[in-house]
Amino acid sequence: MPFSDEGHPHWQVHNLKRALYAAGVALWSWRIETDAFAMDEQAFELWGLPQTSNVTFEDLSSRIHPADRDRVRAAFTATRALVGAYEIDFRILLGREIRWISARGLGNDEGLHLGQMCGVFLDVTGRKQAEEGHELLAGEMSHRVKNLLAIAAGLTSLTSRSATSVEEMARELIQRLTALGRAHDLVRPLTKDQGRAALLGDLIAVLLAPYDDTGAFSGRVRVAVPRMGIGEQSATALALVIHELATNSLKYGALSVTSGTLDISGSTTADEVSMVWTERGGPPVATKSGDGYGSRLLNRSVTGQLGGSIDTDWSSDGVIVTLTMNAERLAT
């Protein structure tokens, strides 16, 4: 028997209703002269309204997101001048929940019967959220790439001024860029609404691993900091700070000799995060002027991007660097 035969079981009303319900399709009709709406059970459920025989367009408008309300009213009115099928996507508010609805029908009075226009509502919240997620991801990736290019350009300029040879410049620039790469590898999504972050201890341990994982260096670096998340932007800035301190230590401080040790400790308050970099067992410490390019990079990163301060104690036993950072800024 042909599928189009009206006597076929698929065309029986109760079977059609079951199929529509399974597909999440809600039915509506709009009597243009009286502005009265009629909807099926699934439509009332979709709109979060109690079932009633007297629904007006204004009743539905009260649930439409204020930013979409005028557009939806104008779009429905304009559908009578459209030829063929139309689709209108808009948001509705159910308490604090935002739900996306797609209203579909036929324009140019093709869907008009006995003074009524008919169509369907579909819940397209999942699709809209996926689209918004893709847009956010694309925007985030564009932002991160621009930031990384700007940082790379700044590091190239900074390194070119401080290096004494092409080989030294290449080596230091590669080390700094590699430190940035390791920091971004640690930045990952967390559960629920915790944002995107790296753990402070993980960030420090990975960045210092090259100075501690082989031969005589093994076990000389100790890290004891609070377990806390670091935001994506601050992870990049903090990675530069840690790398700069480690580079200085490897050149002039505790990491330049086999007897030297490095301890990184930390503490937190409601507003601040403190991290203390302590070197011991290295060569005699010579007080630095703090005017070098590395010092400027440290100061700019800590005071500008991390909203804190840096204090250096040129102790005879080894340099002690105390970083004080804004807790809110560190989480971004």
Side-chain angles (χ1 to χ4, degrees), residues 206-219:
V206 169
L207 291 172
L208 295 180
Y211 312 111
D212 190 49
D213 59 356
T214 60
F217 288 93
S218 182

Side-chain angles (χ1 to χ4, degrees), residues 214-290:
T214 60
F217 288 93
S218 182
R220 296 195 303 144
V221 177
R222 294 186 288 269
V223 179
V225 295
R227 182 179 177 82
M228 59 178 296
I230 304 299
E232 181 177 6
Q233 296 179 26
S234 58
T236 300
L238 191 57
L240 282 172
V241 171
I242 294 170
H243 174 70
E244 197 65 37
L245 292 172
T247 300
N248 290 338
S249 180
L250 189 62
K251 286 183 176 179
Y252 316 111
L255 296 181
S256 67
V257 295
T258 58
S259 59
T261 61
L262 171 61
D263 284 279
I264 300 98
S265 60
S267 61
T268 62
T269 66
D271 301 319
E272 292 182 339
V273 177
S274 295
M275 190 174 76
V276 182
W277 175 287
T278 304
E279 298 186 26
R280 290 291 182 262
V285 176
T287 302
K288 306 293 183 181
S289 65

Side-chain angles (χ1 to χ4, degrees), residues 110-167:
E110 290 182 64
L112 192 63
H113 178 67
L114 299 178
Q116 289 184 331
M117 292 188 69
C118 299
V120 301
F121 291 131
L122 294 176
D123 186 343
V124 293
T125 305
R127 172 168 64 83
K128 287 293 184 179
Q129 288 176 342
E131 291 173 357
E132 291 172 355
H134 289 316
E135 291 175 2
L136 287 173
L137 179 61
E140 178 187 350
M141 290 302 297
S142 175
H143 178 73
R144 289 184 66 180
V145 168
K146 288 179 181 179
N147 277 353
L148 284 173
L149 290 175
I151 291 172
L155 286 178
T156 302
S157 176
L158 182 69
T159 307
S160 67
R161 297 174 198 163
S162 60
T164 58
S165 67
V166 174
E167 291 77 11

